[in-house]
Amino acid sequence: MTGGNGAGSTPTRVEDRGTSWLDASGSDHEIVLSTRVRLARNLQGYVFSVRAGAEDRLGILDRVRGALAATGRLEEGGVLWEMADLEPVDRRLLHERHIVSRELIGPDDGTPPVGAALAITSSGPCGLMINEEDHLRLQSLRNGMELEAAWGEVSALDEALGRELPFAFHHEFGFLTCCPTNVGTGLRASVLLHLPGLVLTKEISKVLQGISQVGLTYRGLYGEGSDIVGNFFQISNQTTLGKSESDLVDHLREIVGQVVEYEKRARAVLLREAPNVLEDKVWRAYGILRHARSLSFDETMNLLSGVRLGLTLKLLRTPRVRTLNEIMIFAQSAHLERRAGRTLDEGDADVYRASLVRERLAAESGDGSSPGEPRPDADKSTR
Amino acid sequence: MTGGNGAGSTPTRVEDRGTSWLDASGSDHEIVLSTRVRLARNLQGYVFSVRAGAEDRLGILDRVRGALAATGRLEEGGVLWEMADLEPVDRRLLHERHIVSRELIGPDDGTPPVGAALAITSSGPCGLMINEEDHLRLQSLRNGMELEAAWGEVSALDEALGRELPFAFHHEFGFLTCCPTNVGTGLRASVLLHLPGLVLTKEISKVLQGISQVGLTYRGLYGEGSDIVGNFFQISNQTTLGKSESDLVDHLREIVGQVVEYEKRARAVLLREAPNVLEDKVWRAYGILRHARSLSFDETMNLLSGVRLGLTLKLLRTPRVRTLNEIMIFAQSAHLERRAGRTLDEGDADVYRASLVRERLAAESGDGSSPGEPRPDADKSTR
């Protein structure tokens, strides 16, 4: 593995990066898990990635590395990792943290695309993917409802890099991108929302329909084509053309603000009209997470959703929201394999996942151990 | 409510009686919840209960009361309760404790049959129902696999009462009973078994088939016609005619001994071949019981079955088997209403049941409280 900061110092470990957005510090963080803003940019003089040969792709990587170095953003903790240099499990780790796309890392059992790289800059939770669908994908990922902050960061990085690199731009269309849906601003802003109240009151389809009618779209936890698990919905702008970046961001913020309000009202209704049902649901989810010895990822997400709802409604006192955020990410397969130090088949992964979840919940329960437990967990020492 | 001990002292409270068989002290008590032996007896000179008028029934009650007094078995803790004198909730309480039959207490919203009464004698867990299907139903209910002890007790009571009362007896048929299936010895011996291993390995139907072929029969937790819940099976002799009492008891003991062996082997197989699945099942059951805020009776029984299995296999350290036995009985509706001090509809009962279960499990968990609990339970003070 090679560090890209050019200073010869030891590169930061992959497993230490890309989790700052889990810290439950952002605005409305009980409902809004994260905010992401990304900009698609391409370099003049190179064909789009999908058609670019190895030479072009490596040339692009060199140009971008040089530009990043010139902006000073690879100093003091900034890194540039070529995907091909990372261990396969680390590539998956970054994907599970929502820091790189599936397209950037390639298939789990194959090699990544030539020149595919990730830069994480020194200035906060901002970075870029290189040689993804577009030559550059600038991105900021933050906890909570933080559209302005995320947009501000990406925008600053865009300006800084724009001074070093000739971005492909058309006076009429705006920034040119590989896929026509990104032409114009190249901006996609999205917010990951936890909406169990709207799901339980069955108002969610009405809300999602409303979202589609105002030029926004929704997806599951893992973006385009992914299923809804754990009542998480990613809402983002559909169009990138014909509006300014700040208009797009403002519009999304306004609509998401309404959805957050609807969700809060739905929760209040549930608490008023079915308190026993709700309390039971929340505590059962906690009880199963706290004691199960085998948990699939989807079940874990659905149970975490129940516990998260319980915390927000003050039906539960522990764990912290940050812990729930971390479990969501750390309970995925690459993270479990890092923890186990070996490849895990599905059955093993389910056992490891349950062990991780128990450990994290017990640590915050006030008693520190699983009641009735006959012996210490054999796998506790692996973490 | 009138005490029947004739000494004018305060009668023992109904809610304090009929639970000694829950104490998890008997042989093989992890698999065998209880042993029951009963003898059906009728008095010469009176028509069978189904045809007897009020005068006859009250006459029978007087005769039996006198005979019991003459044997000294109503002294020092012995009681005789006429069902009509008890509060309705107390009649249901006794039924839930398996001490009286549905027939003896009559419908929940009606009055009990004339002269229907229960005697609990001073000598151990033995007693009799008066004016049930037969004039007398002598019975002993003990924890664990205790056929000899139970039979010995009932037999001793039978002899003592036989000296005072003219039992209807035919030199060829034996003791005469209302229902022909009880003619002869009038004996029914039954054992309540917990067989989750045989259910999980799907061997149970084979075992039950074998039982039927050797003159035994099986039922659910609440006797004839009741569903199987919580993997509990009541196995008893089918025939009462043509064999001596000790032959019947010996035969049942032998067959039940085999079933217990099969169950132990099935558990060993499960533990060897699917330890993760088994451990997960057990801990989920515990987790839900420990944290749920609403529990139906059937779900509670099924979850208790999982926890009981976990205790036996040493996958769980707490609670005690006795506690599980008590929850089985105390989580029923009349018991919950006694605890609540009021009538409970189904939804309320489910909430109360969950509260009782949490309290009992938390008390033995080592931490004494439900982790993550935001506040003390409002209903804790009602018990």
Side-chain angles (χ1 to χ4, degrees):
Chain A
M1 188 192 310
T2 56
N5 55 9
S9 66
T10 311
T12 317
R13 291 189 309 167
V14 170
E15 61 194 280
D16 296 333
R17 302 301 290 263
T19 58
S20 63
W21 63 280
L22 300 173
D23 69 358
S25 62
S27 162
D28 271 327
H29 66 260
E30 285 175 330
I31 293 177
V32 185
L33 184 70
S34 64
T35 300
R36 175 196 299 274
V37 173
R38 67 102 169 120
L39 287 174
R41 295 291 182 259
N42 288 277
L43 302 189
Q44 285 175 22
Y46 294 89
V47 295
F48 285 133
S49 295
V50 283
R51 297 189 166 220
E55 200 176 334
D56 270 352
R57 297 175 69 101
L58 292 172
I60 290 163
L61 176 57
D62 272 352
R63 290 286 302 264
V64 177
R65 195 199 305 266
L68 276 168
T71 64
R73 291 187 178 235
L74 289 181
E75 291 157 20
E76 292 170 32
V79 289
L80 191 151
W81 289 318
E82 289 185 46
M83 290 299 113
D85 290 339
L86 301 185
E87 287 178 48
V89 68
D90 280 340
R91 291 198 289 268
R92 289 167 52 214
L93 211 73
L94 291 171
H95 179 56
E96 288 178 355
R97 292 179 183 186
H98 302 258
I99 302 298
V100 299
S101 62
R102 169 55 63 187
E103 186 155 348
L104 195 78
I105 65 170
D108 281 351
D109 54 357
T111 48
V114 174
L118 169 74
I120 301 175
T121 69
S122 53
S123 62
C126 193
L128 64 160
M129 291 186 282
I130 303 161
N131 286 310
E132 211 254 11
E133 181 183 294
D134 294 295
H135 297 160
L136 279 79
R137 285 276 174 105
L138 287 60
Q139 60 185 10
S140 171
L141 179 57
R142 285 182 158 262
N143 183 264
M145 180 65 184
E146 297 289 347
L147 276 164
E148 290 78 2
W151 161 239
E153 273 185 348
V154 169
S155 180
L157 180 62
D158 181 42
E159 277 182 34
L161 287 174
R163 282 192 291 270
E164 308 292 331
L165 295 168
F167 288 151
F169 186 85
H170 184 278
H171 71 282
E172 196 177 335
F173 299 134
F175 291 100
L176 299 178
T177 56
C178 180
C179 177
T181 61
N182 290 318
V183 166
T185 57
L187 177 138
R188 175 94 61 211
S190 67
V191 176
L192 186 58
L193 296 165
H194 183 230
L195 305 176
L198 292 171
V199 171
L200 287 171
T201 56
K202 302 197 197 309
E203 291 175 61
I204 189 70
S205 53
K206 210 171 56 193
V207 170
L208 295 176
Q209 211 176 353
I211 283 169
S212 308
Q213 284 165 0
V214 294
L216 302 182
T217 187
Y218 71 93
R219 295 161 176 178
L221 193 53
Y222 293 90
E224 213 157 336
S226 66
D227 288 340
I228 302 299
V229 286
N231 301 314
F232 278 104
F233 297 82
Q234 214 178 118
I235 298 181
S236 62
N237 63 310
Q238 177 87 286
T239 50
T240 56
L241 193 64
K243 281 188 175 180
S244 74
E245 289 85 347
S246 24
D247 283 351
L248 291 171
V249 167
D250 284 351
H251 181 56
L252 181 65
R253 188 187 53 224
E254 189 191 324
I255 301 299
V256 167
Q258 285 175 15
V259 175
V260 167
E261 269 318 301
Y262 294 151
E263 171 64 19
K264 286 179 179 171
R265 273 184 231 166
R267 293 180 184 192
V269 167
L270 287 169
L271 205 52
R272 194 174 62 235
E273 299 192 355
N276 289 345
V277 175
L278 198 63
E279 203 180 4
D280 186 51
K281 185 181 169 65
V282 161
W283 277 100
R284 280 172 185 250
Y286 180 83
I288 295 173
L289 286 174
R290 185 77 201 283
H291 297 287
R293 262 50 188 171
S294 176
L295 286 167
S296 74
F297 180 69
D298 279 8
E299 185 186 13
T300 305
M301 291 298 298
N302 289 326
L303 295 170
L304 287 173
S305 171
V307 171
R308 191 178 189 99
L309 180 61
L311 280 175
T312 319
L313 297 177
K314 311 254 182 285
L315 300 172
L316 295 175
R317 196 182 50 199
T318 68
R320 295 171 301 161
V321 172
R322 181 190 180 129
T323 303
L324 297 181
N325 291 349
E326 289 178 353
I327 293 174
M328 275 180 61
I329 300 303
F330 298 167
Q332 295 171 100
S333 64
H335 281 80
L336 295 175
E337 291 188 5
R338 259 268 170 252
R339 171 181 153 101
R342 63 182 173 91
T343 308
L344 299 172
D345 66 23
E346 200 178 310
D348 285 347
D350 289 352
V351 170
Y352 258 83
R353 182 176 296 114
S355 155
L356 165 79
V357 170
R358 287 201 307 284
E359 194 178 305
R360 295 300 305 262
L361 295 187
E364 290 183 35
S365 75
D367 62 341
S369 72
S370 192
E373 189 108 18
R375 53 196 171 152
D377 279 355
D379 53 6
K380 268 195 177 162
S381 59
T382 61
R383 185 134 192 287
Chain B
M1 188 193 312
T2 58
N5 55 9
S9 66
T10 312
T12 316
R13 291 188 308 168
V14 171
E15 61 194 280
D16 295 332
R17 301 302 290 263
T19 58
S20 62
W21 63 279
L22 299 173
D23 68 359
S25 61
S27 162
D28 270 327
H29 66 260
E30 285 174 331
I31 293 177
V32 185
L33 185 69
S34 64
T35 300
R36 175 195 300 274
V37 173
R38 67 102 167 121
L39 287 173
R41 295 289 183 261
N42 289 276
L43 302 188
Q44 285 174 22
Y46 293 89
V47 296
F48 286 133
S49 295
V50 283
R51 297 188 166 222
E55 201 176 334
D56 270 352
R57 298 175 68 101
L58 292 172
I60 290 163
L61 176 58
D62 272 352
R63 289 287 301 266
V64 177
R65 194 199 305 266
L68 276 167
T71 63
R73 291 187 178 235
L74 289 181
E75 290 157 20
E76 292 171 31
V79 288
L80 190 152
W81 289 318
E82 288 185 50
M83 289 300 112
D85 291 339
L86 301 184
E87 288 178 48
V89 69
D90 280 339
R91 291 198 289 268
R92 290 167 52 214
L93 209 73
L94 291 171
H95 179 55
E96 288 178 355
R97 291 179 185 186
H98 302 257
I99 303 298
V100 299
S101 62
R102 168 56 62 187
E103 185 155 349
L104 195 78
I105 64 171
D108 281 351
D109 54 356
T111 49
V114 175
L118 169 74
I120 301 176
T121 69
S122 52
S123 62
C126 193
L128 65 160
M129 291 186 281
I130 303 161
N131 286 310
E132 212 254 10
E133 182 183 292
D134 293 295
H135 298 160
L136 278 79
R137 284 276 175 105
L138 286 60
Q139 59 185 10
S140 171
L141 180 57
R142 285 183 158 263
N143 183 263
M145 179 66 184
E146 298 288 348
L147 275 165
E148 289 78 3
W151 163 239
E153 272 185 349
V154 169
S155 179
L157 180 61
D158 182 41
E159 276 181 36
L161 287 175
R163 283 191 290 271
E164 308 292 331
L165 295 168
F167 288 151
F169 186 85
H170 184 278
H171 70 282
E172 197 178 336
F173 299 135
F175 290 100
L176 299 178
T177 55
C178 180
C179 177
T181 60
N182 291 317
V183 165
T185 58
L187 178 140
R188 176 93 62 210
S190 67
V191 175
L192 187 57
L193 296 165
H194 184 230
L195 304 176
L198 292 171
V199 171
L200 287 170
T201 56
K202 303 196 197 310
E203 292 173 63
I204 189 69
S205 53
K206 210 170 55 192
V207 170
L208 295 176
Q209 212 176 353
I211 283 168
S212 308
Q213 284 165 359
V214 294
L216 302 181
T217 187
Y218 72 93
R219 296 160 176 179
L221 193 52
Y222 292 90
E224 214 158 336
S226 67
D227 288 341
I228 302 299
V229 287
N231 301 315
F232 279 105
F233 297 82
Q234 214 177 117
I235 298 181
S236 62
N237 63 310
Q238 177 86 286
T239 51
T240 56
L241 193 65
K243 281 189 175 179
S244 74
E245 289 85 348
S246 23
D247 283 351
L248 291 171
V249 167
D250 284 351
H251 180 56
L252 181 64
R253 189 188 52 224
E254 189 192 325
I255 302 299
V256 167
Q258 284 174 17
V259 174
V260 167
E261 269 318 300
Y262 294 152
E263 171 64 19
K264 285 180 180 172
R265 273 184 232 166
R267 293 179 183 191
V269 167
L270 286 169
L271 206 51
R272 194 175 60 235
E273 299 191 356
N276 290 344
V277 174
L278 198 62
E279 202 180 5
D280 187 50
K281 185 181 169 65
V282 161
W283 276 101
R284 280 173 184 251
Y286 180 83
I288 295 172
L289 286 174
R290 184 78 200 283
H291 298 287
R293 261 51 186 170
S294 176
L295 286 167
S296 75
F297 179 69
D298 278 8
E299 184 185 13
T300 305
M301 291 298 298
N302 289 326
L303 295 171
L304 287 173
S305 171
V307 171
R308 192 178 190 97
L309 180 61
L311 280 175
T312 318
L313 297 178
K314 311 252 183 287
L315 300 172
L316 296 174
R317 197 181 48 197
T318 68
R320 294 172 301 160
V321 172
R322 181 192 180 126
T323 303
L324 297 181
N325 291 349
E326 289 178 354
I327 293 173
M328 275 181 61
I329 300 303
F330 298 166
Q332 296 172 99
S333 64
H335 281 81
L336 295 175
E337 292 188 5
R338 258 270 167 250
R339 171 180 152 102
R342 61 180 174 92
T343 308
L344 299 171
D345 67 23
E346 199 178 312
D348 285 348
D350 289 351
V351 170
Y352 257 83
R353 181 176 297 114
S355 154
L356 165 77
V357 170
R358 287 201 307 284
E359 194 179 306
R360 295 300 304 263
L361 295 187
E364 291 184 35
S365 75
D367 63 342
S369 73
S370 192
E373 189 108 19
R375 55 199 168 146
D377 279 354
D379 54 4
K380 268 197 178 161
S381 59
T382 61
R383 185 133 190 287

